[in-house]
Amino acid sequence: MTRERIVAKPRLLVPQTAGFVYCPGCHEPLVAKAIAEVLDELEMGDSAVGVFDIGCSSFLLGILDIDSVLGPHGRPPDMATAIKHIYPNNVVFTVQGDGGLLSIGADPLMGALARAEKITIIMINNAVYGTTGGQMAPTSLAGQKTTTTPGGRDVSKHGFPVHAAEMIATFKGTAYSVRCAVNNPYNYGQTRECLKTAFAKQMRGVGLSFVEVLSACPSNWHLSPADALRWIEEGLMLEFPLGEFKNVDKIE
Amino acid sequence: MGERMFIEGNVAVAYGASVAGCQAFFGYPITPQNEITEWFAREFPKMGRVFVQTQSELGSINMLYGAAATGVRAMTSSSSPGWSLMQETVSDLANAELPCVIVNVQRGGPGGGPIRHAQQDYFQCTRGGGHGDYRNIVLVPASSQECCDLTQLAFYLADKYRNPVIVMSDAIVGRLRETVEVEKIEFGSLPGKDWAVSGKGKHRDGERRVVEHSGDLFGRYSSYHSLLQSLDEKIKRMQEAELRYEDYKAEDASLILVAYGYTARVAKEAVNLARSAGIKAGLLRLITAWPFPYEVIRQKACLGSNFLVVEDSLGQLVEDVRIAVEGNSDIGMVNILDRHMLTDGGMILPDRVLAKIEEMSRA
Ligand SMILES: Cc1ncc(C[n+]2csc(CCOP(=O)(O)OP(=O)(O)O)c2C)c(N)n1
Ligand code: SF4
Ligand SMILES: [Mg+2]
């Protein structure tokens, strides 16, 4: 009888012998798993270079079994740009928080978009600064209570939530821009497909590819993991609809 | 023999980097270093090497971080305000132990300042510039030839110590055109870069590589303490082995001038004038601003020499000289307030320095 591998622990995950760093109910490990599965499936594990940000995505340094780089907060698109120019045949991607990409990292993001860098940016939208204890992020919802908006985000004072996937889609040099989630098995499967498309666009040299993932942060939302799942659907998804905002095979 | 060219110091920096095997350059426009960035923009694509015009100096320094993480020789250049903007990542580069070269063609400050020459970044370059405990080797060329040669040395030292190396020139050294012989200098063998990222399939052991700037979180060091211990040892090794200076008639001098960069050339001229007038003056010209020749100066101070610091700032280098003499000598200064004109075109000129030498040797 021949045996076929149908399901198994993804090969590109580092065994977590010293305990698991993510909070219970956090969705980031699911994003890590999806990345590991997709890289393995595309046989890109040997060529992949991941650039992670200061923030909860920095934990990926100890989770994804690929060559990895961690540098200053907000700067992964710059580092990924250089690595991609030096190794154009490698798949080079970043994983960053919403604060890291859209606030402190707006300069490298704009730079990479303007130059149409052939890199993939993966953004974890958890509507807060997770690592530093739940402050307002550019993605925090109107009315959302955070440690720096104790009375709720007042859009007349604090501005409005930033829609990264829609914004990035408006750039000429963007090949692919999508928002997905990992809150149920169907969406998880979709996220895997989005990651595959994003890496493929990069390797075909079409342009910059962007994947935003809605991601639960029960610790800073002060919700149980189950309630956090509910808030993704009843809160986040109303402001941030899932979907593809750009998908082109050629930019002229 | 290398090729002889009549070029500016800034262009000589670029030739030096090129023959040293620099593979990637990242730069953002700022006067007075644009000739460097423009040279790489023109020449590197033809050579199949990487040039990126960045969105800011933050972009430059962080692309440098990414490039250095791959182990290739890489560089950025800027001038004072841009150098300020880079500091967080310079500190990260030191922690991550990434070899790379950063050129700072100094201009006036503080703030926006004038876009012309000055020497006001001495503290910021020699004390690290960013947060935390680290030091960078700082090479300070005074001629176009040195711009070429010291840039080559910078790449070698960066690889030798796995540490950023700064080439600190100024608008006069950078824009001055002189004859340069561009020749590749051999400095000796270096360890391999087995730590660099390239995709784990390229590593002989098949194990992944991680480049990070924490030190102990991902196993590069066993603890924060051992990271600091290692940095401390590295600082001491650099201090012991990499001190460079030129002793110009300082041997028998009763008054020793201390200077670097363009003002060192002015000081040398003043020493010559003083010698013809029978005054025993000499010059210690820094080639490394860090490491600093504390011990050399201390010994000369103990033997009875006095010192005259010539620098185009309100007084930064003078503080290192003060530390070095340990109270044993008189220290005079010719500084930015002694320029020959009140506008930003004013320079420190030899006659002012000579006048100060005469005043100090009369006393
Ligand atoms: C220059 C700098 N500023 C601030 C910080 C502190 N800091 C660390 S993580 C972080 C927020 C991360 O939030 P986000 O990017 O949304 O990632 P998350 O933790 O939510 O995954 C901040 C502000 C820092 N490390 N460096
Ligand atoms: S703080 Fe939030 S994002 Fe970070 S690990 Fe915990 S749940 Fe996840
Ligand atoms: Mg966040």
Side-chain angles (χ1 to χ4, degrees):
Chain A
M1 197 176 79
T2 57
R3 291 225 228 166
E4 199 187 336
R5 181 183 153 110
I6 299 171
V7 67
K9 184 175 144 312
R11 272 184 289 237
L12 295 174
L13 291 180
V14 177
Q16 300 297 298
T17 48
F20 200 56
V21 283
Y22 283 101
C23 307
C26 178
H27 282 180
E28 272 208 48
L30 289 170
V31 182
K33 183 162 165 266
I35 294 171
E37 287 171 349
V38 165
L39 288 176
D40 196 12
E41 209 175 307
L42 300 175
E43 296 182 344
M44 285 176 172
D46 275 355
S47 85
V49 180
V51 185
F52 308 123
D53 201 0
I54 297 297
C56 293
S57 72
S58 67
F59 298 145
L60 296 188
L61 213 66
I63 289 182
L64 288 179
D65 188 10
I66 56 171
D67 272 14
S68 306
V69 177
L70 179 71
H73 188 31
R75 311 290 151 206
D78 287 334
M79 295 175 251
T81 292
I83 296 165
K84 185 68 185 182
H85 279 262
I86 288 161
Y87 289 126
N89 298 323
N90 289 39
V91 62
V92 183
F93 66 95
T94 75
V95 182
Q96 310 177 241
D98 35 15
L101 186 72
L102 301 175
S103 191
I104 195 172
D107 160 291
L109 171 62
M110 285 294 292
L113 286 167
R115 292 186 306 269
E117 297 293 350
K118 291 5 168 229
I119 58 173
T120 300
I121 296 175
I122 300 166
M123 185 189 90
I124 308 290
N125 180 347
N126 59 8
V128 282
Y129 286 87
T131 309
T132 40
Q135 296 83 359
M136 177 179 67
T139 44
S140 296
L141 301 191
Q144 187 180 335
K145 282 194 175 156
T146 70
T147 59
T148 49
T149 53
R153 181 175 187 159
D154 175 351
V155 292
S156 70
K157 281 195 205 133
H158 309 127
F160 299 85
V162 175
H163 292 73
E166 290 88 334
M167 176 188 81
I168 288 169
T170 65
F171 280 76
K172 181 92 194 225
T174 300
Y176 183 61
S177 186
V178 68
R179 181 178 298 115
C180 43
V182 290
N183 62 318
N184 59 41
Y186 175 77
N187 282 345
Y188 179 83
Q190 292 296 104
T191 298
R192 285 181 36 140
E193 293 311 309
C194 294
L195 289 170
K196 268 189 222 166
T197 309
F199 293 143
K201 299 279 179 197
Q202 176 186 154
M203 295 321 290
R204 275 190 260 122
V206 184
L208 189 143
S209 50
F210 177 71
V211 180
E212 173 176 346
V213 190
L214 301 184
S215 180
C217 176
S219 302
N220 289 303
W221 294 355
H222 304 289
L223 295 175
S224 71
D227 287 343
L229 278 177
R230 221 163 290 132
W231 196 66
I232 287 198
E233 286 187 2
E234 292 164 12
L236 271 189
M237 280 184 187
L238 301 185
E239 179 70 32
F240 299 114
L242 303 190
E244 219 173 65
F245 300 95
K246 190 166 184 192
N247 184 348
V248 295
D249 288 322
K250 203 165 179 193
I251 300 172
E252 281 165 328
Chain B
M1 266 240 319
E3 198 181 335
R4 282 170 75 83
M5 291 183 234
F6 188 60
I7 50 177
E8 292 169 64
N10 281 344
V11 175
V13 162
Y15 275 104
S18 174
V19 296
C22 175
Q23 294 297 324
F25 179 91
F26 310 96
Y28 184 80
I30 186 169
T31 308
Q33 68 75 54
N34 291 319
E35 299 71 26
I36 302 181
T37 302
E38 286 164 4
W39 189 93
F40 285 103
R42 202 169 54 239
E43 303 299 331
F44 257 27
K46 288 188 236 165
M47 300 164 83
R49 302 187 193 180
V50 173
F51 167 81
V52 180
Q53 179 172 332
T54 65
Q55 74 278 5
S56 67
E57 290 84 355
L58 284 175
S60 304
I61 195 73
N62 287 290
M63 287 184 207
L64 187 63
Y65 188 109
T70 72
V72 305
R73 285 190 162 178
M75 177 174 130
T76 183
S77 77
S78 188
S79 180
S80 307
W83 160 249
S84 280
L85 197 51
M86 294 178 181
Q87 294 313 316
E88 182 202 11
T89 304
V90 179
S91 168
D92 288 318
L93 285 159
N95 182 315
E97 301 181 269
L98 291 175
C100 59
V101 174
I102 306 162
V103 179
N104 174 16
V105 185
Q106 296 175 90
R107 69 186 221 185
I115 57 171
R116 302 179 74 161
H117 57 276
Q119 297 179 310
Q120 300 174 326
D121 298 350
Y122 180 89
F123 284 154
Q124 204 188 15
C125 286
T126 58
R127 266 57 180 174
H131 59 287
D133 277 327
Y134 69 97
R135 284 290 196 278
N136 300 318
I137 294 173
V138 184
L139 302 170
V140 284
S143 65
S144 293
Q145 184 67 55
E146 266 192 346
C147 282
C148 178
D149 296 349
L150 293 184
T151 302
Q152 295 189 55
L153 177 63
F155 279 101
Y156 170 76
L157 294 177
D159 282 345
K160 181 172 173 187
Y161 294 99
R162 285 189 60 182
N163 204 72
V165 175
I166 315 302
V167 177
M168 176 172 71
S169 74
D170 56 64
I172 290 180
V173 170
R175 301 303 310 277
L176 191 67
R177 223 171 252 260
E178 296 181 293
T179 303
V180 176
E181 191 175 321
V182 178
E183 188 160 26
K184 184 175 165 58
I185 306 171
E186 295 299 338
F187 295 102
S189 64
L190 286 165
K193 293 182 176 174
D194 190 44
W195 47 265
V197 299
S198 58
K200 75 173 180 168
K202 292 208 183 97
H203 307 309
R204 232 173 290 149
D205 59 9
E207 296 288 324
R208 76 199 187 106
R209 298 293 184 270
V210 172
V211 168
E212 46 74 35
H213 63 303
S214 110
D216 58 328
L217 280 186
F218 299 93
R220 183 158 46 100
Y221 288 99
S222 58
S223 64
Y224 179 52
H225 182 268
S226 63
L227 163 75
L228 290 178
Q229 207 165 30
S230 168
L231 290 177
D232 186 47
E233 278 162 17
K234 183 190 290 195
I235 290 170
K236 286 177 178 143
R237 272 190 290 129
M238 293 193 289
Q239 238 162 353
E240 269 160 36
E242 306 307 340
L243 173 67
R244 287 168 173 81
Y245 60 90
E246 181 194 359
D247 179 323
Y248 182 73
K249 301 184 180 170
E251 193 66 25
D252 65 338
S254 49
L255 181 65
I256 299 174
L257 281 63
V258 184
Y260 71 96
Y262 104 79
T263 50
R265 297 176 66 147
V266 173
K268 193 178 262 188
E269 179 63 16
V271 165
N272 289 339
L273 295 171
R275 286 271 170 178
S276 357
I279 303 172
K280 280 194 171 174
L283 167 70
L284 258 179
R285 178 175 74 86
L286 305 186
I287 296 173
T288 52
W290 194 92
F292 185 83
Y294 291 109
E295 185 53 25
V296 177
I297 291 178
R298 193 186 69 82
Q299 282 178 13
K300 291 190 188 292
C302 289
L303 294 172
S305 299
N306 288 324
F307 293 86
L308 173 59
V309 176
V310 185
E311 61 174 321
D312 205 7
S313 81
L314 288 175
Q316 301 190 16
L317 164 61
V318 70
E319 297 211 359
D320 270 336
V321 177
R322 209 169 278 145
I323 291 170
V325 304
E326 294 179 348
N328 289 312
S329 313
D330 291 341
I331 300 172
M333 178 161 66
V334 176
N335 73 12
I336 197 164
L337 300 179
D338 299 307
R339 285 177 169 196
H340 81 299
M341 292 194 316
L342 299 182
T343 61
D344 61 4
M347 285 175 67
I348 294 174
L349 293 179
D351 56 344
R352 286 287 169 95
V353 182
L354 181 63
K356 188 74 185 173
I357 293 174
E358 283 167 346
E359 180 196 315
M360 284 185 77
S361 32
R362 269 197 304 271

